[in-house]
Amino acid sequence: MGKKLRLDKLLSDTGRWSRKEARDLIRGGSVTVDGVVLRQPEEKADPDTAAIAVDGVPLGWTAYRYLLLNKPAGYLTATEDACAPTVMDLIPAELRKAGLAPVGRLDKDTTGLLLITDDGALAHGLLSPRRHVDKVYLAWVDGAGTEEDCAAFARGIVLGDGTKCLPARLELPRPGLCRVTVREGKFHQVKRMLAGRGLPVKALKRVSMGPLKLDETLEEGRVRPLTEKEIAALRQAAGLI
Ligand code: URA
């Protein structure tokens, strides 16, 4: 069982409301705990056991924070680094929280979808090779892929150092552009798989991770909290519900 936390903290910890907005919602009668309207921000509830809702929408698992970053090139996927800027530097102050960490890694020059959360169980579930959560990348390459390349991806590419990759999907939307779906996350995997087929990658962008899609309205370098629906879908993909 978790511990009891103040209602205004529970709401603001989701990243969707400031502490002041949370207090206003509570005082205005929008927040229920186990079906009962509570109007005192300092009242406490246990998010693991109580059904907390805002205007009838369950707060769900949002004692944790879940952020979607559209990663620009030039940032390390790390929580800190002495020399280079990290993806954590892109999180605005009001969304920062102790324990936040990226789920998986994108190379410094790779752009696109990066999930950042303090929900360790979700991260573990999404990254577990057993769960086989699909990651989809767009790769701009020198040259044009062939049906033979697609077949080699489907069989499972063997990397230069002998590492055998799981079967993956290669699609060819147009010459010079590849769409790659992988279920694991080996070091430089997509670049190495394509390079092994004579298709060196010039730019790489992740567009989805399991059910979570890159929000095309989210500009590069921007972060937004996930919606309740996105969190639920991810928790399901991670085997938590
Ligand atoms: N594969 C790569 O080669 N690089 C990434 O950043 C992600 C997957």
Side-chain angles (χ1 to χ4, degrees), residues 142-183:
D142 264 334
T146 63
E147 285 307 312
E148 231 172 276
D149 295 323
C150 298
F153 268 62
R155 282 194 301 272
I157 295 277
V158 180
L159 300 176
D161 62 1
T163 307
K164 175 119 173 56
C165 298
L166 289 175
R169 185 184 309 154
L170 172 63
E171 295 162 283
L172 306 168
R174 59 177 156 81
L177 181 65
C178 299
R179 189 181 159 89
V180 179
T181 305
V182 292
R183 305 189 139 185

Side-chain angles (χ1 to χ4, degrees), residues 106-107 110 137 188-191 204:
L106 292 180
D107 298 335
T110 300
Y137 295 85
H188 294 330
Q189 181 164 354
V190 174
K191 291 175 187 166
L204 188 64

Side-chain angles (χ1 to χ4, degrees), residues 95-160:
L95 292 179
R96 291 200 184 153
K97 185 181 175 211
L100 281 177
V103 178
R105 263 195 51 150
L106 292 180
D107 298 335
K108 192 172 176 188
D109 59 351
T110 300
T111 60
L113 180 152
L114 189 66
L115 172 66
I116 299 175
T117 185
D118 56 344
D119 182 345
L122 179 80
H124 183 76
L126 291 175
L127 296 176
S128 159
R130 276 190 312 114
R131 296 222 66 85
H132 288 200
V133 174
D134 282 348
K135 269 87 61 181
V136 182
Y137 295 85
L138 291 179
W140 287 264
V141 296
D142 264 334
T146 63
E147 285 307 312
E148 231 172 276
D149 295 323
C150 298
F153 268 62
R155 282 194 301 272
I157 295 277
V158 180
L159 300 176

Side-chain angles (χ1 to χ4, degrees), residues 79-101:
T79 47
E80 54 182 35
D81 189 84
C83 305
T86 75
V87 292
M88 306 308 278
D89 297 329
L90 295 164
I91 303 176
E94 69 274 15
L95 292 179
R96 291 200 184 153
K97 185 181 175 211
L100 281 177

Side-chain angles (χ1 to χ4, degrees), residues 3-75:
K3 64 176 190 311
K4 286 192 163 194
L5 297 168
R6 284 174 61 117
L7 278 185
D8 54 353
K9 177 167 168 50
L10 276 171
L11 261 63
S12 62
D13 273 356
T14 65
R16 279 177 282 165
W17 302 282
S18 67
R19 197 55 99 87
K20 173 166 186 325
E21 288 166 340
R23 282 190 204 121
D24 289 346
L25 279 169
I26 297 162
R27 293 198 179 109
S30 290
V31 178
T32 54
V33 176
D34 292 328
V36 178
V37 175
L38 296 186
R39 292 176 186 268
Q40 307 297 328
E42 58 279 5
E43 286 200 69
K44 292 187 174 178
D46 178 348
D48 288 339
T49 55
I52 304 164
V54 178
D55 292 327
V57 179
L59 199 60
W61 314 276
T62 43
Y64 294 116
R65 188 162 294 179
Y66 304 89
L67 303 175
L68 171 61
L69 165 68
N70 186 354
K71 180 188 173 299
Y75 288 80

